[in-house]
Amino acid sequence: IKFLHRKFYDDSTTMRHIDPYLLKEFRYRWYIIGKDHKDGIVKSFGLDRIEGIEFTRVKYNAKAKESVRKRYEDCFGIVCEPMQGRYILALPLHHSQHLIEENEKEIILGLRVYLTHDLFMELLSYGEEIKVLAPQKLVDEIISRHERSVKKYNDL
């Protein structure tokens, strides 16, 4: 399919041509996931930011959708303070969430998810209450986003 996609963070639009694989809902928002013809990378696009869908006659390997579905279940782990951890245990972040360890100081959880902007935003919403343990790519991204946030206050 081809469509005009409006970026969420700067309102610019780009024409996209993708091999569509999945529709996915996260926090009451729907996304189409597919391989972008521009760079061959599987990406997600918010349906609320798509305009002018055109169905093309380009053939593609639809069998790849199963591997894409599995890819969206990759793993990361977090540590929570006990109070916040009990909230997350009661209302899990993801269906793959599992308890790794619980003691009086912390609760360690594991999840199998794909690293997306939505995941970063969800984890950042817990502020100082959680600490991401792995994978290192996710740890680095969370640290970087916290550092940019602090810099905004230091620049006042």
Side-chain angles (χ1 to χ4, degrees):
I1 61 175
K2 288 184 179 181
F3 53 86
L4 202 60
H5 184 258
R6 183 175 28 87
K7 292 182 182 175
F8 194 73
Y9 49 86
D10 70 7
D11 255 0
S12 65
T13 57
T14 55
M15 179 57 75
R16 299 298 189 146
H17 183 191
I18 69 167
D19 297 342
Y21 294 134
L22 302 170
L23 283 175
K24 182 168 178 61
E25 182 268 338
F26 178 75
R27 288 194 158 201
Y28 309 108
R29 291 183 185 212
W30 284 91
Y31 299 86
I32 188 161
I33 301 165
K35 184 170 74 174
D36 194 336
H37 283 218
K38 180 176 77 172
D39 55 16
I41 296 174
V42 173
K43 300 175 182 176
S44 62
F45 301 92
L47 294 184
D48 60 325
R49 298 185 306 274
I50 289 177
E51 300 172 17
I53 293 178
E54 173 189 333
F55 295 92
T56 68
R57 295 179 184 261
V58 176
K59 302 278 188 213
Y60 67 97
N61 180 5
K63 291 179 183 176
K65 74 180 181 180
E66 183 59 25
S67 66
V68 170
R69 185 188 65 74
K70 287 182 180 180
R71 183 176 171 195
Y72 271 72
E73 296 173 354
D74 286 341
C75 187
F76 81 95
I78 61 172
V79 174
C80 317
E81 293 181 3
M83 187 176 79
Q84 187 62 50
R86 283 189 286 279
Y87 282 110
I88 295 173
L89 287 172
L91 185 60
L93 296 172
H94 189 260
H95 66 84
S96 68
Q97 178 175 305
H98 58 280
L99 181 64
I100 295 172
E101 183 179 336
E102 181 175 6
N103 58 50
E104 58 281 342
K105 289 177 53 180
E106 63 190 12
I107 295 174
I108 302 175
L109 303 170
L111 293 92
R112 294 191 60 77
V113 295
Y114 185 63
L115 304 183
T116 65
H117 178 72
D118 290 330
L119 173 65
F120 302 145
M121 298 306 291
E122 178 70 19
L123 295 176
L124 289 169
S125 76
Y126 290 96
E128 66 185 32
E129 302 294 323
I130 69 167
K131 178 181 178 181
V132 175
L133 301 176
Q136 191 60 47
K137 181 179 178 179
L138 179 57
V139 172
D140 294 343
E141 182 63 27
I142 296 297
I143 290 170
S144 176
R145 289 180 185 227
H146 278 301
E147 287 172 343
R148 288 193 306 265
S149 180
V150 168
K151 185 178 181 326
K152 287 180 181 180
Y153 289 98
N154 290 337
D155 288 347
L156 292 178

